[in-house]
Amino acid sequence: MDQEMVKTENSDCIICIENLSFSYDSEAPVLSNVNLRFRRLESACIVGPNGGGKSTLLFLILGLLKPSHGKISVFGENPEVARLKIGYMPQHIQLDPDFPISVMEVVLMGRLRQHFWGRYSQQDRTIARDAMAEMSIDKLRDRPFSSLSGGQRQRVLIARALACQPELLLLDEPTANVDPGVQEHFYDMLHKLNQRMSILTVSHDLGFVSENVDSVICVNREIHVHPVSELTGDMVRDMYGYGVNLVQHNYRCSEGSHTHA
Amino acid sequence: MLELWQEFTGANIPFLRYAFIIGIFSSISFGIVGTYVVTRRISSIAGAIAHCVLGGIGAALYFRTNYHLMWLQPIYGAIIAALFAALLLGLVSIYAKQREDTVIGAIWAIGMATGLLFIAATPGYVDLHSYLFGNILLTSFNDVIVTLVLGIIVLLPAVVFFNNLLAVCFDNRFAELRGVRVRLIYLMLLAMTALTIVLMVDIVGIIMVIALLTLPPAVAGHFTRRIWSMMFLSAILSVIFTTSGLVASYRLDLPSGPTIVIIAGAGYLLSIIYAKIKSAFI
């Protein structure tokens, strides 16, 4: 009975972090006293200044780093076990842009786990094709990854994450290096995916935050979670520790006045 | 050319035949493993492994002469030293990434130093030059057999674990998150690299073998956009570079290693010029 109770509670909270601290070697903590409950089918965005611990939090959830203190469980399990239920999308700039690989080969990587030898079955190919269709990149299937634009690469990497058939999608800076026109389409698509899986995004793009997620996880050594409706400029300033210029993204500036990072 | 063919098939100079067979057969492994080395960007690790081979050759010569172990061919020492260096460098690059650069340099030099000391302590004359720069006179029938066996040992995992190797080279972290045993695959890749390097030590020598491992894939990279086609073209280029190098060195009475490497280097330079011109016009 008791176990049953725990199970239902855990199944609702897919990422549970309690009193977690993390430091590299014996240096000052990157994250301290972090508490977080992330629920099924929720969508949240991790924001914060560079060096504030965004990537560290991401790697802790993926089980690539272990907490110095405290507990973290994902899907009620050790992150190293649970990572198979996560579809992870890295930033495409972290990958070799000239690597000789086709779009299909990249997406198939999402099916790697299934066989010891790493052979892909007919079913794996069908799943990969479905993921590509969902991201509307089926026409790019045989194209070299190196010949794609930034936005196309991003979509290929999301298709790869979807090919994992994940329960949680983890996206690292999905809108970086993507054209504004493509971004709009991208938000719609995330919204659709959110109907069947939880989505956790890392982004420095505050315009992304306001319109597309349920809550914001502000990370700067400590973390604070805000429902999007409550987010104000003051809160952002408190979290970043300094004033941040909120850029209004639905406003087109005169050409050459500034460039987006 | 006919004259060369007669000399090639003639019984009085078997080493020429051996060199051609070794060169052509090792080219397959060089094309495949070289492509992984270039795309995974571990050329400096491969370079360090190659130089450590001298340590193994030196030790083998020393123990063979001093303890009359006639079965102990230098190539066996080379295999052991290469595998040991691959394991050591692999562990360093997995567990001490921050120090990797320093350690690669150190192992590179220490491996060579060990070999030089063993050779100095070995009584009698040892032609160091041949091991450093290659000498086809060193090839024997035994080397041909060892090359065939090593080549098959290298090719098996390259084919069987193709998808895992590709994933580890392209996006190691993602592969790890999918449950691929990335460290094991990486160590296996380094072991394959080590054995491949040993294949051509007689012909090109330990100092220049790294060029023959990385130049063909670097040239192929300009013409191909899929990894298997890059491997296929690298292997063909490697055959062209080694055989034409061997012919030229034999005809012009030049050392084989430098001749092969200069031809490979010229090929690389031409491919860069071709790529520049192509990108300027398209």
Side-chain angles (χ1 to χ4, degrees):
Chain A
M1 273 293 260
D2 264 6
Q3 249 181 347
E4 198 75 1
M5 291 268 289
V6 173
K7 226 177 174 181
T8 24
E9 199 193 15
N10 278 349
S11 68
D12 190 42
C13 171
I14 58 171
I15 301 175
C16 299
I17 301 180
E18 282 172 44
N19 302 320
L20 175 144
S21 297
F22 180 84
S23 52
Y24 291 97
D25 298 327
S26 51
E27 288 168 38
V30 182
L31 291 172
S32 78
N33 202 23
V34 167
N35 288 285
L36 179 71
R37 294 176 78 78
F38 183 72
R39 283 171 213 294
R40 189 171 293 275
L41 295 187
E42 196 178 328
S43 72
C45 184
I46 300 174
V47 299
N50 284 332
K54 285 189 304 243
S55 310
T56 306
L57 182 63
L58 199 69
F59 290 163
L60 284 161
I61 293 168
L62 289 168
L64 293 169
L65 294 173
K66 289 193 173 57
S68 312
H69 300 286
K71 272 194 288 191
I72 175 165
S73 73
V74 181
F75 296 105
E77 293 171 302
N78 183 336
E80 273 186 60
V81 182
R83 60 164 70 138
L84 290 171
K85 295 179 184 167
I86 301 178
Y88 170 64
M89 186 212 77
Q91 298 178 38
H92 75 81
I93 41 167
Q94 292 167 353
L95 303 170
D96 178 358
D98 296 325
F99 199 94
I101 190 167
S102 74
V103 167
M104 182 68 172
E105 283 171 319
V106 174
V107 177
L108 273 171
M109 277 181 72
R111 307 302 305 159
L112 269 174
R113 166 70 182 178
Q114 310 309 313
H115 312 281
F116 171 74
W117 302 105
R119 295 276 139 201
Y120 299 124
S121 66
Q122 209 49 49
Q123 197 201 355
D124 291 333
R125 287 171 197 282
T126 311
I127 292 166
R129 267 194 282 270
D130 290 348
M132 283 189 275
E134 189 153 21
M135 297 305 299
S136 17
I137 50 164
D138 10 14
K139 289 208 177 68
L140 303 178
R141 207 178 85 181
D142 296 317
R143 287 270 297 278
F145 188 68
S146 57
S147 72
L148 306 184
S149 71
Q152 288 173 324
R153 285 182 199 188
Q154 217 77 306
R155 279 193 281 168
V156 171
L157 295 182
I158 297 176
R160 180 176 72 166
L162 290 177
C164 305
Q165 300 190 310
E167 292 175 42
L168 165 65
L169 206 53
L170 237 172
L171 310 172
D172 193 355
E173 298 283 2
T175 55
N177 309 300
V178 175
D179 303 334
V182 181
Q183 275 183 26
E184 205 51 48
H185 172 76
F186 183 80
Y187 296 150
D188 293 344
M189 196 197 55
L190 283 190
H191 199 74
K192 234 169 71 191
L193 289 174
N194 200 199
Q195 308 296 314
R196 58 182 164 100
M197 62 186 79
S198 322
I199 302 182
L200 191 57
T201 311
V202 176
S203 183
H204 66 264
D205 179 359
L206 290 171
F208 175 84
V209 172
S210 52
E211 286 180 51
N212 303 284
V213 295
D214 305 330
S215 57
V216 178
I217 301 168
C218 299
V219 184
N220 190 7
R221 207 164 72 87
E222 296 176 357
I223 78 169
H224 293 271
V225 182
H226 307 284
V228 159
S229 52
E230 290 175 11
L231 193 72
T232 63
D234 283 346
M235 275 181 190
V236 174
R237 184 157 41 243
D238 286 349
M239 273 318 302
Y240 276 67
Y242 51 83
V244 174
N245 293 322
L246 280 165
V247 180
Q248 208 176 335
H249 277 257
N250 53 4
Y251 173 79
R252 195 166 288 280
C253 303
S254 64
E255 234 172 87
S257 63
H258 76 274
T259 51
H260 282 283
Chain B
M1 217 53 206
L2 187 70
E3 190 191 336
L4 185 79
W5 178 252
Q6 281 164 353
E7 284 168 15
F8 177 69
T9 47
N12 51 339
I13 38 171
F15 63 85
L16 191 61
R17 195 156 54 229
Y18 297 152
F20 274 104
I21 295 170
I22 290 174
I24 290 167
F25 192 76
S26 337
S27 288
I28 302 168
S29 312
F30 265 64
I32 290 171
V33 176
T35 299
Y36 286 128
V37 167
V38 167
T39 55
R40 184 65 160 82
R41 296 173 189 233
I42 48 170
S43 302
S44 56
I45 291 185
I49 293 172
H51 285 72
C52 284
V53 164
L54 190 68
I57 290 173
L61 289 170
Y62 176 82
F63 288 111
R64 182 160 91 141
T65 317
N66 276 16
Y67 300 96
H68 306 288
L69 307 169
M70 291 324 285
W71 55 268
L72 187 59
Q73 301 283 333
I75 198 166
Y76 301 144
I79 292 170
I80 291 166
L83 287 176
F84 178 73
L87 181 66
L88 198 62
L89 287 157
L91 293 176
V92 167
S93 93
I94 290 170
Y95 295 105
K97 195 78 191 163
Q98 321 86 292
R99 300 266 168 274
E100 189 184 0
D101 188 47
T102 315
V103 178
I104 288 174
I107 292 176
W108 185 303
I110 292 168
M112 273 202 100
T114 312
L116 292 171
L117 288 181
F118 268 122
I119 288 172
T122 305
Y125 174 70
V126 174
D127 184 16
L128 182 62
H129 212 259
S130 298
Y131 296 113
L132 294 181
F133 305 110
N135 181 355
I136 56 167
L137 292 172
L138 288 177
T139 55
S140 64
F141 182 69
N142 183 53
D143 288 344
V144 175
I145 299 298
V146 173
T147 304
L148 290 174
V149 172
L150 278 188
I152 290 164
I153 291 174
V154 168
L155 292 181
L156 263 173
V159 173
V160 170
F161 294 103
F162 177 80
N163 290 327
N164 283 326
L165 282 163
L166 179 66
V168 165
C169 289
F170 177 62
D171 190 349
N172 189 65
R173 182 183 296 148
F174 186 86
E176 183 177 3
L177 292 174
R178 291 329 295 161
V180 174
R181 301 172 79 179
V182 288
R183 290 169 184 178
L184 211 60
I185 296 283
Y186 181 58
L187 288 176
M188 186 186 79
L189 174 59
L190 290 184
M192 287 158 63
T193 309
L195 295 180
T196 305
I197 285 167
V198 173
L199 292 176
M200 288 250 206
V201 162
D202 284 344
I203 299 180
V204 201
I206 61 166
I207 301 219
M208 289 176 295
V209 72
I210 188 68
L212 201 56
L213 191 64
T214 55
L215 289 178
V219 175
H222 285 131
F223 302 96
T224 55
R225 287 176 139 182
R226 294 289 290 276
I227 200 155
W228 54 265
S229 52
M230 187 168 164
M231 289 171 171
F232 185 74
L233 185 56
S234 304
I236 292 188
L237 286 167
S238 184
V239 169
I240 294 171
F241 294 154
T242 36
T243 46
S244 61
L246 283 172
V247 171
S249 74
Y250 183 75
R251 303 296 287 179
L252 305 170
D253 196 21
L254 294 168
S256 56
T259 313
I260 291 169
V261 169
I262 288 291
I263 290 175
Y268 180 57
L269 196 65
L270 286 175
S271 78
I272 292 177
I273 294 168
Y274 168 81
K276 289 277 176 219
I277 292 173
K278 200 177 128 192
S279 67
F281 284 94
I282 294 169

